Amino acid sequence: MPQMAKNVYIHRALAFLRHRLTAWNTSGEGIHSPYLFELVRFILRDRNSYYCFADIERRRELLLACTDEIEVVDYGSQGTPEGKSVRRRVCDIARTHLERPEVAQALFRLVNWMGEHEKRPLQILELGTSFGVTTAYLAAPDSRNRVVTMEGSHEVLKIAQGTWRALKMENIEWVEGPIDDTLYSRAHALCNSPDIAYIDANHTYEATMRYAGFLLPLLAEKGVLIIDDIHYSESMERAWHELKKDARVTTSMDLYHVGLLFVDPHYLKRHYNVKL
């Protein structure tokens, strides 16, 4: 194994251990806001299986078993600004790029809970569609929710569209093309004031800070910005630590696999570590 790869694995292992040792807010301990206490205690820690979970997970299993090769254009951390085109098996992409079930299902509960509190359909923006499994979890809580997802790779997006057709989901809109082009030119028109924005695209410090810097001012007053893979690398951790300190962020939660940034001005400036 190359030394760089070893360093990455060591970093992730240490980050995981550090998180497990410091995640003392897991049952809501130390969380003063009743709203956030409820989020952690009754939503993120919920272990019940909802009606749509089995159908979405069956789709995941099909993708994990599919050995077809597709042409993938990568604009992310392993790609280039112009897009790096490679042929990869669907199962390999599914294994490395799909969000873990427990994380995707926590996002489902977050959307469901926010919709119940807001008593209206939500606007959700996703950067990085992959095969559309997490998108399905974001869209499933309420068919009136509007989910806009952005993906740079045509063949990947085609498979995602097949996922949504199979699940009979009609509240998902997609934008194809490099996110560094489509986000700034189309986000205002498509999702002007998102309640939830989810970044799961280019896992680099520069791209994460760029996307977050653009999205934070767009969020609704009680909006949440979700950053995927905050402990993926040292540079992603650096981005996460800087975003927690951003003046526009009032409260942050580290769930290890993802980080939540809340902009509600009624919250105190606090950070919590929560174990899913």
Side-chain angles (χ1 to χ4, degrees), residues 6-276:
K6 287 183 180 178
N7 291 341
V8 169
Y9 283 117
I10 291 171
H11 166 79
R12 293 176 189 170
L14 291 175
F16 179 76
L17 179 61
R18 189 164 58 244
H19 182 265
R20 299 287 286 192
L21 293 173
T22 59
W24 65 278
N25 304 115
T26 293
S27 296
E29 299 92 338
I31 298 178
H32 301 290
S33 164
Y35 186 85
L36 295 176
F37 178 86
E38 182 184 343
L39 168 65
V40 172
R41 187 90 167 104
F42 300 108
I43 307 300
L44 296 181
R45 298 294 296 161
D46 184 4
R47 291 294 179 265
N48 292 318
S49 181
Y50 284 75
Y51 57 93
C52 61
F53 288 5
D55 289 341
I56 298 176
E57 287 307 309
R58 275 193 289 272
R59 183 66 186 179
R60 182 197 300 272
E61 290 170 7
L62 289 174
L63 294 167
L64 287 168
C66 180
T67 57
D68 294 348
E69 285 194 353
I70 61 171
E71 195 80 19
V72 179
V73 182
D74 186 4
Y75 299 94
S77 57
Q78 303 301 316
T80 64
E82 301 79 23
K84 179 182 178 181
S85 182
V86 294
R87 290 197 64 80
R88 296 188 61 191
R89 296 192 304 172
V90 169
C91 56
D92 294 333
I93 300 170
R95 189 177 63 255
T96 57
H97 285 66
L98 293 184
E99 191 66 90
R100 292 165 178 262
E102 65 270 23
V103 179
Q105 289 165 12
L107 298 182
F108 168 94
R109 295 184 181 100
L110 172 64
V111 173
N112 191 44
W113 175 74
M114 286 183 64
E116 290 179 357
H117 273 269
E118 292 298 308
K119 295 181 170 44
R120 61 171 173 81
L122 302 179
Q123 289 197 74
I124 302 167
L125 177 63
E126 178 187 44
L127 307 188
T129 311
S130 188
F131 290 148
V133 170
T134 305
T135 323
Y137 274 111
L138 295 171
D142 189 336
S143 61
R144 299 171 302 165
N145 288 347
R146 185 184 186 203
V147 181
V148 176
T149 184
M150 297 184 170
E151 172 58 46
S153 183
H154 175 72
E155 292 297 319
V156 170
L157 185 56
K158 278 177 58 178
I159 292 176
Q161 292 166 346
T163 295
W164 307 325
R165 282 195 300 272
L167 296 169
K168 297 181 172 58
M169 291 186 169
E170 299 180 355
N171 58 330
I172 299 171
E173 302 171 42
W174 56 86
V175 178
E176 182 181 338
I179 292 172
D180 276 299
D181 295 336
T182 58
L183 175 62
Y184 311 113
S185 63
R186 302 189 64 182
H188 284 286
L190 290 170
C191 199
N192 187 43
S193 185
D195 299 284
I196 295 173
Y198 173 52
I199 301 177
D200 184 15
N202 188 336
H203 289 56
T204 62
Y205 169 85
E206 293 79 11
T208 301
M209 296 300 292
R210 189 164 63 246
Y211 299 154
F214 178 79
L215 291 170
L216 281 171
L218 287 187
L219 290 174
E221 184 183 57
K222 294 184 178 180
V224 184
L225 178 61
I226 305 170
I227 312 291
D228 187 60
D229 277 340
I230 56 175
H231 298 290
Y232 175 80
S233 63
E234 290 183 7
S235 69
M236 282 297 293
E237 275 196 348
R238 181 158 59 96
W240 169 243
H241 289 308
E242 290 186 21
L243 289 170
K244 287 190 301 182
K245 298 174 185 176
D246 190 291
R248 295 164 292 191
V249 173
T250 50
T251 295
S252 55
M253 287 187 184
D254 182 340
L255 310 184
Y256 181 72
H257 296 291
V258 297
L260 309 182
L261 299 171
F262 298 85
V263 298
D264 191 327
H266 300 98
Y267 296 160
L268 298 174
K269 189 75 172 180
R270 292 286 188 273
H271 175 71
Y272 304 107
N273 288 332
V274 178
K275 181 174 64 177
L276 284 179

